[in-house]
Amino acid sequence: MPKAYIVSAYNAINDPDKLKAYAELAGPAVNSFGGKFLARGNNLVSFEGKEKLRAVVIEFESMERAKEMHDSDAYQEALAKMEGGAVDRDLFLIEGAE
């Protein structure tokens, strides 16, 4: 079974305090579902498309496990902390190559 990756690419951060509140809850939610942070931060280079302010890549054992994390009460509570447009980001799940 191939691994899966959640990728988050931030276009704008409108409220850093709300993003921090999200991160404080999102990290433990990710960890509780076996997620592993492979990359995160703002030291990045955009070769094509809109320049990103921040990016995060998280590895999971499967697409199903990543979806379970995203849909969990713990992660949904974290997402609620960014309510009101704290960030503009692209967030997606991709299956790894075997």
Side-chain angles (χ1 to χ4, degrees), residues 65-77:
R65 196 68 173 153
K67 288 177 190 176
E68 288 173 0
M69 187 286 301
H70 181 271
D71 295 342
S72 71
D73 290 342
Y75 187 72
Q76 292 302 308
E77 181 182 350

Side-chain angles (χ1 to χ4, degrees), residues 42-62:
N42 57 4
N43 186 11
L44 52 97
V45 176
S46 295
F47 290 114
E48 295 182 23
K50 293 174 67 175
E51 188 166 340
K52 305 299 182 196
L53 296 179
R54 178 175 176 76
V56 179
V57 179
I58 308 167
E59 181 182 74
F60 288 88
E61 66 184 37
S62 66

Side-chain angles (χ1 to χ4, degrees), residues 84-98:
V87 300
D88 171 16
R89 70 177 179 168
D90 300 317
L91 179 70
F92 59 91
L93 173 60
I94 185 170
E95 188 173 64
E98 288 194 45

Side-chain angles (χ1 to χ4, degrees), residues 10-19 53 82-89:
Y10 291 77
N11 301 308
I13 298 171
N14 304 316
D15 190 332
D17 291 333
K18 285 185 177 183
L19 178 59
L53 296 179
M82 290 197 303
E83 192 170 317
V87 300
D88 171 16
R89 70 177 179 168

Side-chain angles (χ1 to χ4, degrees), residues 7-42:
V7 179
S8 181
Y10 291 77
N11 301 308
I13 298 171
N14 304 316
D15 190 332
D17 291 333
K18 285 185 177 183
L19 178 59
K20 181 179 178 186
Y22 157 80
E24 288 173 355
L25 295 178
V30 166
N31 292 334
S32 72
F33 282 84
K36 179 180 176 185
F37 288 91
L38 298 181
R40 63 180 166 191
N42 57 4

